[in-house]
Amino acid sequence: MSLAACLLAYSLAVAVLGPPLLDRLTRSGVAPRLGVAVWTMAMGSVVASWVGAAGLLGVELYRAWGQVDLLLAGCFATLRAWVDGGHGGFLQAGLEVLIALTVLAMALLAGRLVAALRRAGRDTRRHAEAAVLATRGAPRGPGGTLVVDAAQRSVYCLAGRSPAIVITRGALDALDDTQLAAVLAHERAHLTGHHHQLLAFTSALAKILPGLRLFTEGTTQIGRLVEMRADDVAAHRHGGHTVVDALLALTIGTTVPASALGAATEPGIADRVERLLFPLDRARSRRTQSAVLGALLLVPAITAIIVLTGSPLCLTPFSA
Amino acid sequence: MFGELEAVVMDRLWSLGGSGTVREVLEQLRTDREIAYTTVLSTMDNLHRKGYLTREREGKAHRFRTVVSHAAHTAGLMREALSAGVGSEAVLAHFVGEMTEDELTRLQAVLARRSPESGR
């Protein structure tokens, strides 16, 4: 019981303190892969501690009754205790109802997470299919891309059973050969880095728990960092200036009013261009990198401390 | 890649003016490939099931109609690609999204610092 409480306290601490801290650490986009790892670790450890707590509480509950209809039994016990006026029994039963509710809430969240992930998968497949239909069975474009006959300049990729890069005729016309190669390298980096799967998971979490900044802010930041990571891969092969030129070729003259709702506006273009053109100096980037690495190691360290040394604090038996 | 044949069939229907029977599509397709009647039939049934085609009886056969024109289909695809999270939860990774005026101002400030010799 107390271990479960400790896990929940830990998740609360990470959920509250994590976002501002991690935001500061990963803002500059130094070592984007580390940044992604540290956000993912924070989010994942919170989810894991919930699962752990729910599991522990579930076991506790099972031991308490060793039967089904737990909620109902809890309610009856509470009522009876109240009628009898026995304080200890009342507290015990009330606690067990609380536990049952927590376990139920966790199960509900897990169900909603699975449903959100399946919806995302279905819509992605559906979109890929519509993209194939839009190409009218025409041969693939450069690098096996799906070329959609549309004037707007757009390039994106879809993961799934049949990963695809979609490029519009407008984008093809706007890019020269090296810029196109850099754009394709960027998109392939998303696919090989499994960025879609990660983002699908974090955005599903953000969607079902919109009140938790760790998930909403984390999803935004991971989205930003994977773009930077993909930029780095493309810049490594084709040069930072080529990537910047490609970014400019696809964006200049396409601005939308800030109020345009629903548009997939990109908050990070200036940041991406800045770090490609003016990389941070070595010393500063190494400092930031160590800080991120430290944060990355902090999470397992805290978990270990909870489990190993927390015995007097966390491992006191429930009914004591 | 799934759907290549579906794309070809949709293309033929679109070039037939948006409607056709399995037999009509088959004749079109046979001009450049060997293909069985049942293959075309099941492809068109698939497209109907997925909501891309409607179907009505015409004598002994079915007449299939495209739900939207090619232009409207492409426009819809682009709309969905650009408006993340509206109506669709597809997970896409754009190379770059659209910019707000604010972002453009910031971008211009960064670009102003780009020295002439380091760029082009």
Side-chain angles (χ1 to χ4, degrees):
Chain A
M1 169 65 190
S2 314
L3 182 57
C6 274
L7 284 171
L8 290 176
Y10 163 81
S11 71
L12 191 70
V14 174
V16 172
L17 302 175
L21 188 75
L22 297 184
D23 188 46
R24 277 196 54 182
L25 281 178
T26 59
R27 178 153 292 282
S28 66
V30 170
R33 258 189 304 182
L34 267 181
V36 169
V38 73
W39 274 105
T40 309
M41 180 82 111
M43 292 164 101
S45 74
V46 165
V47 173
S49 66
W50 287 348
V51 172
L56 286 169
L57 292 175
V59 168
E60 198 64 52
L61 206 57
Y62 181 77
R63 281 212 196 112
W65 278 294
Q67 64 178 39
V68 286
D69 268 343
L70 305 174
L71 262 178
L72 212 60
C75 287
F76 280 132
T78 312
L79 273 176
R80 211 176 51 223
W82 187 69
V83 171
D84 293 350
H87 256 5
F90 176 80
L91 195 70
Q92 173 87 5
L95 216 55
E96 273 157 13
V97 170
L98 197 70
I99 291 172
L101 286 176
T102 311
V103 173
L104 199 69
M106 295 294 168
L108 207 68
L109 278 182
R112 291 187 61 193
L113 183 66
V114 170
L117 283 172
R118 289 180 59 155
R119 267 201 311 277
R122 186 201 58 205
D123 286 354
T124 305
R125 266 199 309 283
R126 174 111 193 146
H127 187 94
E129 206 166 75
V132 172
L133 294 191
T135 63
R136 313 185 81 159
R140 295 301 187 87
T145 49
L146 290 168
V147 182
V148 172
D149 200 8
Q152 61 255 65
R153 290 165 270 167
S154 188
V155 188
Y156 58 93
C157 60
L158 297 138
R161 261 172 295 178
S162 39
I165 301 176
V166 178
I167 185 165
T168 61
R169 177 68 51 198
L172 263 185
D173 291 344
L175 297 167
D176 68 24
D177 287 351
T178 49
Q179 290 163 358
L180 178 63
V183 171
L184 295 182
H186 172 109
E187 293 303 321
R188 281 199 203 96
H190 282 315
L191 293 174
T192 53
H194 300 291
H195 296 165
H196 296 77
Q197 287 83 346
L198 179 63
L199 278 173
F201 193 74
T202 59
S203 15
L205 279 174
K207 225 167 271 169
I208 62 172
L209 295 164
L212 280 181
R213 262 193 72 205
L214 179 67
F215 296 127
T216 52
E217 177 76 15
T219 301
T220 310
Q221 291 301 327
I222 289 177
R224 218 174 129 258
L225 290 163
V226 296
E227 289 310 324
M228 292 176 172
R229 165 64 191 158
D231 279 347
D232 287 351
V233 172
H236 184 68
R237 289 192 51 195
H238 303 280
H241 285 280
T242 311
V243 179
V244 169
D245 289 338
L247 276 167
L248 297 180
L250 294 181
T251 47
I252 295 301
T254 63
T255 52
V256 293
S259 58
L261 274 177
T265 52
E266 175 113 352
I269 300 177
D271 288 346
R272 283 168 67 188
V273 169
E274 185 170 22
R275 66 188 281 288
L276 285 168
L277 291 180
F278 313 105
L280 284 180
D281 66 90
R282 274 260 171 83
R284 231 194 108 192
S285 75
R286 206 168 293 150
R287 266 206 309 282
T288 316
Q289 228 166 320
S290 330
V292 177
L293 205 60
L296 193 60
L297 294 175
L298 200 65
V299 175
I302 292 177
T303 318
I305 288 169
I306 288 180
V307 174
L308 294 177
T309 71
S311 41
L313 188 69
C314 295
L315 296 181
T316 47
F318 170 49
S319 35
Chain B
M1 183 78 189
F2 68 94
E4 295 291 1
L5 185 60
E6 292 180 2
V8 172
V9 166
M10 282 303 278
D11 174 51
R12 291 311 144 99
L13 278 170
W14 275 321
S15 49
L16 280 168
S19 90
T21 60
V22 176
R23 180 70 52 195
E24 285 165 10
V25 172
L26 183 71
E27 274 163 25
Q28 286 258 322
L29 288 173
R30 282 231 170 117
T31 57
D32 56 17
R33 65 172 84 192
E34 270 301 306
I35 192 160
Y37 180 88
T38 48
T39 311
V40 179
L41 175 68
S42 67
T43 306
M44 288 171 82
D45 276 341
N46 271 345
L47 286 165
H48 171 249
R49 188 171 42 76
K50 289 175 183 170
Y52 292 112
L53 299 178
T54 58
R55 176 173 83 170
E56 64 198 52
R57 265 222 167 269
E58 191 182 273
K60 271 186 272 174
H62 276 119
R63 175 157 292 276
F64 290 86
R65 271 175 225 285
T66 56
V67 171
V68 293
S69 68
H70 179 249
H73 175 79
T74 305
L77 180 80
M78 285 295 109
R79 210 163 36 241
E80 190 178 286
L82 292 175
S83 59
V86 183
S88 165
E89 290 176 26
V91 186
L92 317 174
H94 287 267
F95 176 62
V96 63
E98 287 174 306
M99 262 188 300
T100 58
E101 296 290 346
D102 248 19
E103 188 67 19
L104 180 66
T105 315
R106 287 191 56 215
L107 178 63
Q108 279 163 343
V110 173
L111 288 175
R113 284 159 52 203
R114 187 186 197 176
S115 54
E117 71 272 18
S118 67
R120 352 164 131 182

